Amino acid sequence: TEPSYTSVISDKDDKDDVERFDDDDDDDDDDQCREANPKTSPSKTERTCAFMIIVSLTFMFGVIVGQIIQTTDMIPSTSAIATPDTAAAAAAANTTPGITAAATAADEINSCNTTTSAAVSYNFLSTTRGKEVLGGLKQHLEEGGPKQVLEELAKMMDEDDQIAASCHPLAHMLGRKAFNDLGVEGAFGSLIGTPDDNVFRTCNAAYMHGVIEHFLVESADLKEGVGFIDSNLCQKLMKSGTLPSNKWECQHGIGHGVVQHYRKQNNRQTLVDALATCSTTTVNTENCQNGIWMDYFSNTQLTAQLEPSSLQVCNNMAASWACQIYSPTEYILHHPRDYAGAIKFCQAGLPSKPGTCIDGVGGQAAKENMHDFSFVEAACLNAQNPKHQVSCFTHGLSYYTTSSGDLKIPASLCENLTVYKNKCMAKT
């Protein structure tokens, strides 16, 4: 049964909300996906005429393309589909077949049209280039510190329109990393109260917001945490003699952190109450809680930026196998068909025991490729531990039998396999 997408409050850890109207740099993101309104509206006759021209041109284009196809016997591209040859080669090389095409498809899904260059803001972070840009900036932060990375981001914004349109979530993520690596004081270095602290205004102070929100989300005493940020950061920014609105930006960041703090608390309590209900009714507790965890990881905000630490909910709540088996679902919803990335996510988020999470990747890969298990095989081969590779593929087979209600696997699913062909054929 597919999960309900409304019953669990999402935002499992410290996820970022869609930016509000006061984050000016995000206001124009949607302009990438729509035409600007004309200053004057066309008359009804003009609109009708334009419509008829479009219809005529579309018909003519269709006729011409049809003639070309007949003449040249063109065949649609199948680059995103794994053939027996590509599947075998990919499995032998320990890669996912069609991974480039799958990444491209994910880019297109996350953008407003079919070109990755159109993806901006949070959508940009889900593209291959967005991940590369963020990874490079994080490395720059580690090597050069907060001031240098923000100056680099500002330079990139001047040179690249796509990064300029996506700078806010990029800087938010940098702020979160800075807090994790350096703490709230280290994230600002010794710049607060000096003319150099204006660097924190880069891209509507998103870096500052990221640091503050991450600090407050984890604060044991929220009011005390707010007071600490206001007195040690916001008030000093106001007195630094740079821009008066620095204090406003700082206190705006406090708002981010406050709502995320309460959201995380409420989300945890939702899980506590839901799991308790399953154990105090006449239904089988394990079966009921299995549904809870599927819904929990399927109900996600696609604007949120996931971090592997979100999987710690499975340890922090002494959760069962069901929590871990569904835990990669959220990552794959954010990164469609990126099974290799999901396995890395499992290994980073549950480093001591990632096996069940990796099995979940195998199940999800099977769910999304029910007619071609070469994708499942290639996905599972991305696991570092050979035992996890086998277990992942085995779970994919189990998913098929559970989903179809047929204990036998069709032989056609096994034909394209290389590494696990015998294991698959044994189930036919």
Side-chain angles (χ1 to χ4, degrees), residues 18-20 23-30 121-122 165-169 203-204:
V18 177
E19 297 305 314
R20 303 302 184 190
D23 287 330
D24 297 335
D25 60 287
D26 276 350
D27 288 346
D28 296 328
D29 287 349
D30 290 340
S121 193
Y122 294 95
S166 310
C167 63
H168 207 83
C203 194
N204 273 59

Side-chain angles (χ1 to χ4, degrees), residues 266-287:
N266 290 339
N267 189 62
R268 180 180 177 85
Q269 189 59 47
T270 296
L271 278 175
V272 170
D273 293 343
L275 294 168
T277 299
C278 284
S279 63
T280 56
T281 60
T282 57
V283 302
N284 180 284
T285 299
E286 184 175 340
N287 294 346

Side-chain angles (χ1 to χ4, degrees), residues 54-82:
I54 291 170
V55 170
S56 299
L57 290 174
T58 302
F59 175 78
M60 292 171 63
F61 179 78
V63 172
I64 292 170
V65 171
Q67 290 297 321
I68 293 173
I69 292 174
Q70 279 189 329
T71 302
T72 60
D73 195 25
M74 292 172 61
I75 299 174
S77 171
T78 58
S79 59
I81 301 174

Side-chain angles (χ1 to χ4, degrees), residues 249-269:
E249 287 287 9
C250 180
Q251 294 183 342
H252 168 93
I254 289 176
H256 277 283
V258 168
V259 71
Q260 290 178 31
H261 177 94
Y262 283 117
R263 185 183 295 121
K264 183 177 181 180
Q265 280 192 337
N266 290 339
N267 189 62
R268 180 180 177 85
Q269 189 59 47

Side-chain angles (χ1 to χ4, degrees), residues 43 53 76 86 103 111 117 120-121 125 131 134 136 199 201 223 229 247 293 299 323 347 353 361 400 412 418:
S43 67
I53 291 172
T86 58
S111 71
S117 62
V120 295
S121 193
L125 296 191
K131 295 172 188 176
L134 180 58
V199 72
R201 286 298 311 277
K223 290 185 177 179
I229 291 295
K247 177 184 177 182
W293 288 112
N299 183 40
C323 176
Q347 292 168 163
K353 293 183 177 180
V361 177
Y400 183 92
S412 60
T418 56

